[in-house]
Amino acid sequence: MQIFQSNRKPDTATPPTAPAPPSPPPASPDRPIAAAPVARTGAVLSSGVSIKGDVTFRNELLIDGEVEGTIKSSGTLTIGHHAQIRADITAGAVTIHGTVNGNVSASERCVLEPGGTVRGDIEAPRLALDENATFLGSAKIAAKRT
């Protein structure tokens, strides 16, 4: 025997939902979507900076100025588009966009990008040269030293 009886129907209405956020406008050919900035962990020697002497660093360095002397590291070195380097370079990995007058020794790899110039010898276990790069010297592709 049922003591209380309800004639009420259960509430089946769904709770209101929040409106969807507007979608970003599609990219047009004259207005591309900007890429997210890349976080850099290393140091920068910007254009206009000139150093005479020895440059050493630990992890990562971007040089876009002038250096005369030596550059040594086990980290990653990037020679920027505006860089004028008159130095011997010893580093883990070297990427060259600018001009290097000197020998390059990389324990991991050396990459000569379009517009990059090296006047000197390169020694690395991996070497990549773009067809629009300039290389005047000799290359020694040697196994990685342990």
Side-chain angles (χ1 to χ4, degrees), residues 26-46:
S28 63
D30 57 330
R31 198 181 114 198
I33 294 177
V38 177
R40 295 198 78 94
T41 59
V44 176
L45 293 176
S46 63

Side-chain angles (χ1 to χ4, degrees), residues 2-144:
Q2 191 172 2
I3 298 177
F4 300 104
Q5 187 174 8
S6 171
N7 291 336
R8 203 170 114 198
K9 293 182 181 176
D11 189 9
T12 58
T14 58
T17 58
S23 61
S28 63
D30 57 330
R31 198 181 114 198
I33 294 177
V38 177
R40 295 198 78 94
T41 59
V44 176
L45 293 176
S46 63
S47 181
V49 174
S50 180
I51 295 178
K52 278 189 177 187
D54 297 338
V55 175
T56 59
F57 62 96
R58 189 176 301 169
N59 294 325
E60 183 178 348
L61 177 63
L62 167 63
I63 299 176
D64 211 20
E66 296 180 17
V67 174
E68 184 176 337
T70 61
I71 301 171
K72 293 183 181 183
S73 176
S74 59
T76 301
L77 174 65
T78 302
I79 305 298
H81 295 282
H82 303 103
Q84 296 291 321
I85 308 298
R86 290 173 300 283
D88 288 336
I89 297 171
T90 303
V94 181
T95 302
I96 301 167
H97 298 275
T99 301
V100 174
N101 291 303
N103 298 325
V104 178
S105 177
S107 61
E108 298 288 328
R109 68 181 296 170
C110 180
V111 179
L112 209 53
E113 296 287 354
T117 300
V118 173
R119 292 181 189 93
D121 299 337
I122 297 176
E123 182 177 349
R126 293 184 295 169
L127 176 61
L129 299 172
D130 185 85
E131 65 182 25
N132 293 315
T134 303
F135 174 43
L136 303 168
S138 65
K140 181 177 180 185
I141 311 303
K144 187 193 248 186

